[in-house]
């Protein structure tokens, strides 16, 4: 029987730093985009890497590279796939201690997740620990 990992919070949300991970294939403008051509050549492959996004990023700051979703909505309103503005509003309202300096995006189409699990996830976890993140919100798209 598979049991999902769960770690209960040890402190209230208003004392927690939060980060988000989206599966929308979002990157900062100027960063290397997710590899859609590799997927076009081999439909069983999905880019297992990740991109880091700054907490103050807006739709004007990002590109979206994903073959399986209509990216125009994210390009117009980043918050529909990575609600950074909403998170900053929670910080301002005192509902959370802070939004992390860095948030993340991966490709949501990965049929063979070995590299994602063995290489990408440990890199993200290391950065989350470095930035003292208490809570991670997964934003599937």
């Amino acid at each position: 029987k598979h049991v999902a990992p769960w770690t209960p919070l040890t402190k209230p949300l208003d004392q927690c730093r939060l980060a988000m991970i989206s599966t929308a294939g979002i990157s900062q403008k100027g960063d290397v985009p997710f590899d859609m051509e590799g997927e076009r050549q081999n439909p069983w492959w999905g880019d297992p890497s990740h991109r880091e996004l700054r907490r103050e990023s807006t739709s004007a700051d990002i590109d979206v590279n994903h073959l399986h979703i209509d990216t125009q909505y994210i390009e117009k309103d980043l918050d529909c796939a990575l609600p950074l503005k909403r998170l900053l509003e929670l910080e301002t309202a005192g509902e959370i201690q802070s939004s992390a300096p860095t948030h993340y995006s991966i490709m949501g189409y990965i049929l063979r997740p070995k590299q994602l699990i063995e290489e990408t996830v440990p890199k993200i976890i290391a950065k989350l620990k470095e930035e003292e993140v208490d809570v991670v919100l997964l934003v599937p798209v």
Side-chain angles (χ1 to χ4, degrees), residues 40-69:
R40 284 186 185 99
Q41 299 299 318
N42 177 3
W44 292 102
W45 181 84
D47 187 339
S49 62
H50 76 286
R51 302 296 179 274
E52 295 182 0
L53 302 152
R54 295 181 300 276
R55 68 184 243 134
E56 66 278 353
S57 296
T58 67
S59 296
D61 303 315
I62 57 102
D63 289 315
V64 186
N65 311 107
H66 206 301
L67 296 176
H68 302 276
I69 59 174

Side-chain angles (χ1 to χ4, degrees), residues 21-29 31-34 49-53 57-59 61-66 69 71 74-75 77-84 103-108 139 141:
I21 301 174
S22 173
T23 61
I26 304 166
S27 59
Q28 295 282 162
K29 284 194 178 189
D31 285 353
V32 175
F34 284 92
S49 62
H50 76 286
R51 302 296 179 274
E52 295 182 0
L53 302 152
S57 296
T58 67
S59 296
D61 303 315
I62 57 102
D63 289 315
V64 186
N65 311 107
H66 206 301
I69 59 174
T71 62
I74 302 167
E75 291 162 352
D77 182 7
L78 175 60
D79 275 29
C80 72
L82 190 69
L84 295 175
H103 300 273
Y104 306 86
S105 186
I106 60 173
M107 184 63 69
V139 187
V141 176

Side-chain angles (χ1 to χ4, degrees), residues 106-119:
I106 60 173
M107 184 63 69
Y109 181 80
I110 301 176
L111 299 176
R112 297 182 179 140
K114 183 176 173 43
Q115 187 176 354
L116 173 75
I117 293 167
E118 293 179 357
E119 295 176 26

Side-chain angles (χ1 to χ4, degrees), residues 13-19 55 87-88 90-92 94-101 103 131-135:
L13 276 176
D14 65 0
Q15 297 174 22
C16 292
R17 173 172 280 177
L18 278 71
R55 68 184 243 134
L87 199 58
L88 289 173
L90 290 172
E91 179 181 322
T92 299
E95 298 291 327
I96 63 171
Q97 179 185 24
S98 64
S99 171
H103 300 273
E131 293 185 349
E132 299 179 340
V133 171
D134 301 296
V135 177

